[in-house]
Amino acid sequence: MHRVRSYTVITGPAANALPLDGDLEWDTLRHGVTLEFTASSHPDAWTGPNTPATGGSAEAFRTLKELTNRQVTGSVGPVDLADSRAIITYDSAWTAIEGIRDEAVHGHAVPSTDEVRNAWLRLHGAHRVEGASGWICLDNQGNPYDKAVAVVRLDPLTRTDRFVTLPWPTGHAPNGSCTAPRAPTT
């Protein structure tokens, strides 16, 4: 009797583009090979049935989805949110905008890049960024703190990626404060 072995390959976010690769041998994924990878985000992370109560929101994702469904200025072509690149680009811009707004509120009509970077130190707690990929809470080095990462699996039947789970570096969704620990600055 010949026993068929199953393998699970786990990789990083570079696999996001695999569903778009015309040379991908999808049939391999029907014969004992499963491919899972981390993604910066996934459309189902905040809109699926097991969405956490904290760490992000369906509303923030819907805002991006509505923006991509209409043409604001000219044709940019179709926007695919499944590979997460558009989501993290939006969140990056939104984080910069929040830093600019924070500085403008503090009296700087056109803040410098240093002032925007310094404003990022306040983007946590009640001032977190409500990103489409989930909450963005920055530590005092400007790095995301306890940011959820989507785990997805390539599905050979639909030839797309399918959302699996949403883990956090701390092992659980953040509490409502979203406050990063403050390390002393040097």
Side-chain angles (χ1 to χ4, degrees):
M1 182 166 145
H2 179 28
R3 182 176 166 194
V4 177
R5 290 188 151 176
S6 296
Y7 298 93
T8 299
V9 178
I10 302 171
T11 188
N16 277 336
L18 281 175
L20 306 174
D21 186 342
D23 294 329
L24 179 64
E25 295 183 22
W26 287 97
D27 197 45
T28 302
L29 299 174
R30 294 179 192 194
H31 300 287
V33 177
T34 301
L35 178 62
E36 290 186 351
F37 56 94
T38 58
S40 301
S41 186
H42 191 276
D44 295 336
W46 300 108
T47 59
N50 298 317
T51 303
T54 60
S57 72
E59 183 61 33
F61 180 77
R62 276 194 296 272
T63 298
L64 172 59
K65 189 165 176 71
E66 288 171 13
L67 288 171
T68 60
N69 286 339
R70 61 183 150 141
Q71 293 182 6
V72 179
T73 56
S75 176
V76 296
V79 177
D80 184 4
L81 298 178
D83 73 0
S84 80
R85 289 180 287 190
I87 297 170
I88 60 172
T89 301
Y90 170 82
D91 282 357
S92 296
W94 192 241
T95 302
I97 290 166
E98 289 295 313
I100 292 166
R101 283 182 177 163
D102 186 67
E103 281 302 302
V105 166
H106 288 94
H108 301 93
V110 180
S112 70
T113 54
D114 284 340
E115 290 168 326
V116 172
R117 183 181 60 243
N118 290 336
W120 286 351
L121 301 178
R122 295 183 289 276
L123 297 182
H124 62 93
H127 302 286
R128 67 182 173 254
V129 176
E130 295 282 340
S133 66
W135 291 351
I136 301 168
C137 306
L138 302 179
D139 65 15
N140 62 341
Q141 280 80 43
N143 298 311
Y145 171 73
D146 202 18
K147 182 76 175 99
V149 177
V151 175
V152 297
R153 177 180 299 136
L154 286 185
D155 184 341
L157 299 175
T158 62
R159 294 187 173 222
T160 61
D161 55 19
R162 186 171 49 84
F163 176 72
V164 176
T165 190
L166 192 63
W168 277 267
T170 58
H172 54 82
N175 64 25
S177 72
C178 191
T179 301
R182 295 294 177 207
T185 57
T186 56

